[in-house]
């Protein structure tokens, strides 16, 4: 398994097909997924460059959560035939419930 370094999480991208008005519209091949499932997170770490009183940084997400993240800002990784993305904590936008 891939263990992310401090400040990163490992995301399994979710590719969704959409339908508009009952017409099936496949996802554009050039489009990067913006949604994914958290597979692994880094350990908490110390960031002395932060302006917060406590420089200890925890992951903002938990394993198993579905998240939205910024487009084009992540690193693609292949492991055991599966594709994953390494996403910085700062690039996460929302948790999908």
């Amino acid at each position: 398994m891939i263990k992310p370094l401090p400040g990163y999480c490992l995301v399994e991208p979710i590719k969704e097909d959409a339908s508009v008005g009952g017409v099936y519209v496949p996802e554009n091949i050039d489009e990067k997924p913006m949604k994914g499932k958290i597979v692994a997170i880094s350990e908490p770490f110390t960031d002395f460059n932060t302006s917060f009183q406590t420089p200890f940084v925890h992951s903002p997400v938990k394993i198993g959560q579905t998240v939205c993240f910024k487009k084009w800002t992540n690193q693609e990784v292949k492991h055991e035939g599966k594709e994953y993305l390494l996403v910085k904590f700062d690039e996460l936008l929302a948790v999908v419930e």
Side-chain angles (χ1 to χ4, degrees), residues 49-97:
N49 295 323
T50 186
S51 60
F52 295 116
Q53 289 179 342
T54 312
F56 208 56
V57 180
H58 293 274
S59 171
V61 293
K62 298 176 184 171
I63 294 174
Q65 287 183 312
T66 301
V67 295
C68 293
F69 48 87
K70 292 182 181 179
K71 246 182 186 176
W72 312 112
T73 58
N74 39 58
Q75 183 64 42
E76 295 178 4
V77 179
K78 288 188 180 183
H79 181 69
E80 296 179 354
K82 287 188 176 182
E83 291 186 20
Y84 298 98
L85 301 170
L86 282 168
V87 181
K88 283 185 174 185
F89 291 165
D90 295 347
E91 305 300 327
L92 297 171
L93 300 173
V95 175
V96 180
E97 295 182 349

Side-chain angles (χ1 to χ4, degrees), residues 19-36:
S19 64
V20 178
V23 177
Y24 174 76
V25 180
E27 184 178 357
N28 186 345
I29 295 173
D30 295 334
E31 289 281 324
K32 293 279 185 179
M34 291 179 49
K35 228 189 254 188

Side-chain angles (χ1 to χ4, degrees), residues 4-10 40-42 45 59 75 86-89:
L5 292 176
Y8 285 86
C9 55
L10 187 67
I41 55 176
S42 70
F45 64 98
S59 171
Q75 183 64 42
L86 282 168
V87 181
K88 283 185 174 185
F89 291 165

